[in-house]
């Protein structure tokens, strides 16, 4: 089972029903609170007492980065939508009417980017396997049913569609046998990533039910757990009733010869400052697991080089491995949080230049886009043309990994689909048919370069195929 509020661990969650009272604590007026509540009808809100009492500086509202990280803001969505929803709330409209209006807005926010619902669906024979994604040949993502919530929700979260009560948009499975069967049918898979939500919301007995069967799968080299728990509820590994059992479970995974990697999300240095966070990290590392850190670059939260260099240095001294700086994905309130790619590269470069080589394990800025993880390597001038230099860190087609390519410089671009090829008629991952089109015609295509419309499915059983129309 999942440990509930009121258990001995002292966890207390705050949801949308508590939002108005929390906003009063921030000193916000009636109209501002109403508009924030309107945003919360569209995007999920959840936080907890540790975040509220230990991480947020309430004297710095509304600019405090942790506050902005977990609390919706009135201008996160288009003004007409917020005004309409605020009007319904203020007039006491029936809940069904409010939810219908909120759903209209959600469906315009690209709830599942990078073709997740179509391109990443694994199959056994002809049957799709629910609760899983398979984008890259060697890695499978698994969404344990009991782990599809979080200790607190990030306002930028690209998985927000998991939390809004739309069954057709949610990935989840409690069938570990399906996962084992799929792995046996796909011997090229060497890594399983448990994701969500947050798998560490699950209690130790439930987590054990998912992890232990994988220890008998010989082909598996690594098991990964994507989690924000070290930032939002480090007590999970220190003082929760099953904390010690959980750490023993981790040790058993390592003892079985599997690499156990925590993909820990830290968005700001403050999330690592508390003694309980330090103790949680030390406890996990003592099991033999490794902690790799990652987060997206978020406007108004961490969009400064000093924040990132401070984060990476702190992570290094705590024994963690800086891993990824991501670009905010093309979903949800992307326009609110996104940093232009040119600026993202500058922030990464300046932060990278100010840390030692031991911190330079980090990669970025990286876009997890339809063709794969696209890294912005720099901005330069070639043959009189200013361009972005990019490469694929990971790709649906393994032949494209590490291959450099170029895009015309665009100071306003925030995502791969905003870019156009330089020195070629198409990007290397685009369908070959684009080679018959002129560069000027590319901007008129209904599916931009690198979009889901221009990509074909990954075939996990056969050899990976190039993207096709």
């Amino acid at each position: 089972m999942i440990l509930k509020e009121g258990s001995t661990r002292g966890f207390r969650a705050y949801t949308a029903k508590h939002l108005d009272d929390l906003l009063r604590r921030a000193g916000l007026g009636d109209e501002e609170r109403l508009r924030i509540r309107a945003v919360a009808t569209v995007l999920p809100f959840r936080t907890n007492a540790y975040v509220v009492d230990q991480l947020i500086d309430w004297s710095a509202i509304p600019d405090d980065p942790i506050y902005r990280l977990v609390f919706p803001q009135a201008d996160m969505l288009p003004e007409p939508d917020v005004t309409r929803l605020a009007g319904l709330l203020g007039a006491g409209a029936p809940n069904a009417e409010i939810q219908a209006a909120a759903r209209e807005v959600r469906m315009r926010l690209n709830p599942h980017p990078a073709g997740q619902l179509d391109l990443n669906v694994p199959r056994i024979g002809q049957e799709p396997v629910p609760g899983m994604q398979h984008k890259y040949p060697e890695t499978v993502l698994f969404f344990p049913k009991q782990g599809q919530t979080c200790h607190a929700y990030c306002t930028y979260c690209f998985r927000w569609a998991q939390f809004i009560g739309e069954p057709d948009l949610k990935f989840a499975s409690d069938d570990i046998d399906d996962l084992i069967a799929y792995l046996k049918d796909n011997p090229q898979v060497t890594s399983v990533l448990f994701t969500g939500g947050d798998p560490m919301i699950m209690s130790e007995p439930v987590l054990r039910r998912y992890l232990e069967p994988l220890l008998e799968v010989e082909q598996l080299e690594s098991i990964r757990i994507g989690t924000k728990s070290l930032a939002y509820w480090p007590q999970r590994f220190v003082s929760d009733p099953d904390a010690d059992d959980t750490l023993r479970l981790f040790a058993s995974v390592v003892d079985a010869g599997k690499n156990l990697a925590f993909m820990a999300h830290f968005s700001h240095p403050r999330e690592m400052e508390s003694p309980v966070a330090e103790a949680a990290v030390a406890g996990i590392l003592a099991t033999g697991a490794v902690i790799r850190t990652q987060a997206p670059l978020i406007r108004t939260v961490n969009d400064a080089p000093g924040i990132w260099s401070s984060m990476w240095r702190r992570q290094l001294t705590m024994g963690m491995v800086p891993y990824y700086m991501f670009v905010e994905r093309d979903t949800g309130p992307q326009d609110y949080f996104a940093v232009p790619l040119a600026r993202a590269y500058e922030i990464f470069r300046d932060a990278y230049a100010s840390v030692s080589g031991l911190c330079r394990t980090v990669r970025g800025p990286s876009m997890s886009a339809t063709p794969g993880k696209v890294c912005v390597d720099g901005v330069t001038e070639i043959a009189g043309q200013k361009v972005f230099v990019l490469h694929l860190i990971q790709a649906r087609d393994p032949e494209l990994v590490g291959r450099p390519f170029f895009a015309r410089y665009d100071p306003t671009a925030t995502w791969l689909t905003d870019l156009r090829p330089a020195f070629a008629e198409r990007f290397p991952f685009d369908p070959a048919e684009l080679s018959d089109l002129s560069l000027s015609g590319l901007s008129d295509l209904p599916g931009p370069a690198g979009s889901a419309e221009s990509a074909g499915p990954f075939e996990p059983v056969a050899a990976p195929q190039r993207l096709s129309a």
Side-chain angles (χ1 to χ4, degrees):
M1 68 174 184
I2 301 174
L3 292 169
K4 302 294 185 181
E5 296 175 43
S7 71
T8 56
R9 69 175 184 163
F11 181 81
R12 181 186 179 189
Y14 296 111
T15 62
K17 66 183 180 181
H18 306 105
L19 181 56
D20 199 56
D21 286 340
L22 290 168
L23 295 174
R24 289 179 189 275
R25 177 174 178 174
L28 302 182
D30 293 347
E31 181 62 25
E32 182 78 357
R33 296 200 316 274
L34 179 63
R35 294 180 70 81
I36 291 173
R37 287 169 50 214
V39 173
T41 65
V42 176
L43 300 170
F45 169 74
R46 176 181 168 92
T47 188
N48 67 63
Y50 174 76
V51 175
V52 167
D53 297 332
Q54 302 296 322
L55 299 186
I56 293 175
D57 179 358
W58 289 93
S59 69
I61 302 302
D63 297 324
D64 179 74
I66 308 300
Y67 172 79
R68 301 187 72 83
L69 193 59
V70 297
F71 277 79
Q73 307 300 312
D75 53 349
M76 279 175 58
L77 297 176
E79 194 279 334
D81 292 330
V82 177
T83 297
R84 178 189 176 196
L85 289 162
L88 292 173
L89 287 173
N95 185 61
E97 184 178 355
I98 295 170
Q99 290 304 313
R103 190 177 192 279
E104 288 180 22
V105 179
R106 287 177 190 143
M107 294 303 106
R108 297 198 301 268
L109 296 178
N110 189 24
H112 277 302
Q116 295 177 102
L117 287 179
D118 303 313
L119 303 183
N120 302 345
V121 179
R123 297 176 184 274
I124 297 179
Q126 299 300 315
E127 293 299 315
V129 185
M132 292 169 52
Q133 291 184 26
H134 192 180
K135 183 175 182 179
Y136 307 125
E138 66 281 353
T139 304
V140 162
L141 275 63
F142 188 79
F143 296 75
K145 181 178 179 181
Q146 298 90 337
Q148 298 315 305
T149 186
C150 298
H151 296 97
Y153 295 149
C154 298
T155 44
Y156 65 73
C157 183
F158 83 97
R159 296 273 190 218
W160 61 271
Q162 290 287 97
F163 315 130
I164 57 175
E166 294 274 357
D168 292 342
L169 296 179
K170 187 170 185 176
F171 295 104
S173 174
D174 61 358
D175 195 336
I176 190 65
D177 291 337
D178 273 356
L179 174 58
I180 299 298
Y182 186 76
L183 295 176
K184 290 180 178 178
D185 278 356
N186 291 270
Q188 80 276 19
V189 177
T190 58
S191 182
V192 170
L193 169 60
F194 286 91
T195 186
D198 192 326
M200 293 316 305
I201 201 80
M202 297 188 293
S203 65
E204 186 273 342
V206 177
L207 190 61
R208 179 180 294 276
R209 183 162 64 83
Y210 286 109
L211 290 180
E212 280 194 334
L214 293 178
L215 304 185
E216 305 301 320
V217 181
E218 187 174 349
Q219 74 202 58
L220 275 190
E221 299 168 358
S222 65
I223 297 172
R224 292 183 257 179
I225 298 175
T227 183
K228 185 77 176 178
S229 57
L230 283 168
Y232 284 167
W233 189 253
Q235 293 91 326
R236 177 68 187 83
F237 310 98
V238 178
S239 58
D240 276 10
D242 61 344
D244 290 343
D245 289 341
T246 299
L247 295 178
R248 281 190 286 269
L249 173 61
F250 296 162
S252 72
V253 174
V254 176
D255 290 344
K258 308 298 184 187
N259 179 281
L260 179 61
F262 273 73
M263 319 312 291
H265 293 245
F266 289 107
S267 305
H268 194 272
R270 194 184 303 164
E271 295 170 323
M272 294 173 282
E273 291 176 356
S274 72
V276 67
E278 293 180 345
V281 169
I284 292 171
L285 293 177
T287 70
V290 64
I291 303 174
R292 297 183 183 271
T293 63
Q294 57 191 34
L297 176 63
I298 300 296
R299 188 175 66 86
T300 76
V301 172
N302 57 23
D303 54 338
I307 293 175
W308 286 89
S309 60
S310 175
M311 250 196 319
W312 295 336
R313 288 196 300 267
R314 178 63 174 153
Q315 289 159 4
L316 178 67
T317 60
M318 294 174 72
M320 298 183 280
V321 182
Y323 190 48
Y324 266 116
M325 173 198 280
F326 288 117
V327 174
E328 171 66 353
R329 284 200 178 190
D330 55 336
T331 181
Q334 182 200 21
D335 292 344
Y336 184 82
F337 287 121
V339 175
L341 296 176
R343 177 59 184 152
Y345 165 68
E346 292 174 353
I347 292 171
F348 180 86
R349 179 199 62 200
D350 292 349
Y352 192 84
S354 65
V355 297
S356 74
L358 291 175
C359 286
R360 293 182 183 177
T361 50
V362 69
R363 299 182 284 187
S366 172
M367 293 174 276
S368 292
T370 302
K373 288 185 172 68
V374 179
C375 187
V376 181
D377 292 325
V379 176
T380 192
E381 188 171 304
I382 301 176
Q385 183 175 346
K386 194 173 185 179
V387 295
F388 286 110
V389 183
L390 311 106
H391 83 282
L392 282 156
I393 296 172
Q394 181 60 285
R396 293 180 187 276
D397 181 352
E399 292 184 16
L400 298 179
V401 172
R403 177 175 170 181
F405 62 99
F406 305 93
R408 301 176 188 178
Y409 180 77
D410 180 348
T412 66
T414 59
W415 193 249
L416 183 63
T417 52
D418 298 330
L419 300 178
R420 293 294 174 261
F423 315 122
E425 294 183 349
R426 63 187 180 93
F427 290 126
F429 44 77
D430 279 331
E433 288 81 356
L434 284 181
S435 62
D436 298 327
L437 300 174
S438 66
L439 287 175
S440 61
L442 284 172
S443 61
D444 299 323
L445 289 174
S451 71
E453 290 86 349
S454 67
F458 165 64
E459 299 290 344
V461 177
Q465 301 297 309
R466 287 192 176 274
L467 302 181
S468 58

